Amino acid sequence: MGQKAGRTVAIGIQDFGDLIRKGYFYIDKTDFIREWWESGDSVTLIARPRRFGKTLNMSMVEHFFSVDYAKEENLFEGLSIWGNEAYRQIRGTYPLISLSFAGVKEREYRTARKKICQLLANLYVRYSFLRESGALTETDRAYFDRVLAVDMDDSDASLALYQLSNFLCRYYGKKAIILLDEYDTPMQEAYVDGYWDEFAGFTRNLFNSAFKTNPWMERAIMTGITRVSEESIFSEIMGICITHGLF
């Protein structure tokens, strides 16, 4: 989008919709959408330090693809991606799951697990209309309720993203896109505070079901804040993902 003289440069806004709706200065990065989509990768990892613009980029992707923003095509008018007719046709046509682990910075496994379960429950609250739709069976609704209860067991928690993808695919007739921001923030805390083994097992099962063995996922992006190329504990984080075929 062409920038007008005197446009305010807002600091710290991470919501793409807010940035555009309020007319703040925006450097057009929408060609990332085309580059990512045409890469054909099932799961894409973006590892960069904090304050690198990862969350804003994820928000941009969400606003472009999600059916929740289907009526807001004006957000992208005048931006680079809008000049491509093929992408105008797929904008706003995908069910999309978006969550962030950026705030999971707990000092013990119990509270870290509980916070992630709360984030998963929040997703199910957001899509609570699915529960009463004809897309779900009685068994599905019982599972839905267990996740909403927050105190779900490990089995239900590990399948939460997998099952939500399934429910969304059945409802919309289209596979879901999954966005997970700062997947490794709680892993840093787990290592520093000494509950790495427990937490790695929990997240391994969650990632495996959501990103590897998920026939209802179209594409996914995960962002991380750690440099995984170094020989460190965070190379083990990548090891978990690579071993399970995530990247």
Side-chain angles (χ1 to χ4, degrees):
M1 179 180 290
Q3 305 296 334
K4 298 178 181 179
R7 181 164 293 189
T8 301
V9 179
I11 305 299
I13 293 181
Q14 298 181 317
D15 184 283
F16 176 83
D18 279 352
L19 199 67
I20 300 301
R21 292 185 200 100
K22 294 176 181 178
Y24 295 135
F25 183 84
Y26 175 66
I27 296 175
D28 189 347
K29 297 182 179 180
T30 58
D31 202 47
F32 168 81
I33 295 168
R34 179 193 59 77
E35 292 176 358
W36 171 59
W37 200 251
E38 293 178 3
S39 73
D41 295 334
S42 177
V43 182
T44 300
L45 172 67
I46 302 173
R48 296 290 187 276
R50 286 194 173 97
R51 315 309 303 171
F52 207 85
K54 299 185 302 300
T55 299
L56 179 57
N57 245 30
M58 293 280 265
S59 179
M60 175 188 71
V61 171
E62 179 180 2
H63 279 77
F64 187 82
F65 284 105
S66 176
V67 293
D68 293 342
Y69 300 103
K71 296 181 180 180
E72 294 196 67
E73 62 182 29
N74 59 303
L75 292 176
F76 291 89
E77 288 179 356
L79 296 174
S80 174
I81 194 67
W82 203 246
N84 190 313
E85 172 64 23
Y87 285 91
R88 291 202 299 273
Q89 294 302 313
I90 64 172
R91 190 207 62 81
T93 63
Y94 281 88
L96 189 145
I97 299 167
S98 177
L99 73 164
S100 172
F101 285 175
V104 184
K105 301 176 181 179
E106 310 308 306
R107 300 192 63 178
E108 59 180 16
Y109 172 68
R110 181 183 62 83
T111 53
R113 181 192 180 281
K114 184 176 181 179
K115 184 167 282 190
I116 288 179
C117 287
Q118 181 66 66
L119 292 172
L120 295 173
N122 290 347
L123 279 175
Y124 276 65
V125 170
R126 177 178 179 181
Y127 294 109
S128 58
F129 65 88
L130 293 171
R131 189 189 183 285
E132 305 307 322
S133 73
L136 271 63
T137 66
E138 184 176 343
T139 301
D140 294 330
R141 288 193 290 273
Y143 174 82
F144 211 101
D145 291 341
R146 292 199 301 274
V147 176
L148 286 174
V150 180
D151 59 345
M152 65 195 88
D153 61 25
D154 281 0
S155 176
D156 285 338
S158 68
L159 289 172
L161 295 178
Y162 174 93
Q163 289 286 59
L164 185 56
S165 303
N166 179 4
F167 299 157
L168 287 168
C169 185
R170 278 191 256 163
Y171 183 85
Y172 288 105
K174 206 165 188 176
K175 294 182 179 181
I177 294 172
I178 302 177
L179 306 179
L180 174 55
D181 198 22
E182 292 200 23
Y183 81 98
D184 54 348
T185 292
M187 292 180 171
Q188 287 186 336
E189 303 301 322
Y191 176 63
V192 170
D193 290 309
Y195 58 91
W196 170 262
D197 289 342
E198 283 182 294
F199 193 78
F202 177 74
T203 53
R204 181 186 297 114
N205 291 332
L206 176 65
F207 291 169
N208 186 63
S209 64
F211 300 112
K212 182 188 177 185
T213 58
N214 189 349
W216 299 288
M217 183 192 76
E218 180 65 38
R219 302 277 183 90
I221 301 177
M222 298 170 70
T223 72
I225 58 173
T226 52
R227 294 180 58 186
V228 295
S229 60
E230 297 178 346
E231 286 298 323
S232 68
I233 189 61
F234 300 110
S235 65
E236 185 177 343
I237 296 174
M238 281 301 295
I240 291 170
C241 298
I242 292 169
T243 299
H244 290 268
L246 300 188
F247 311 115

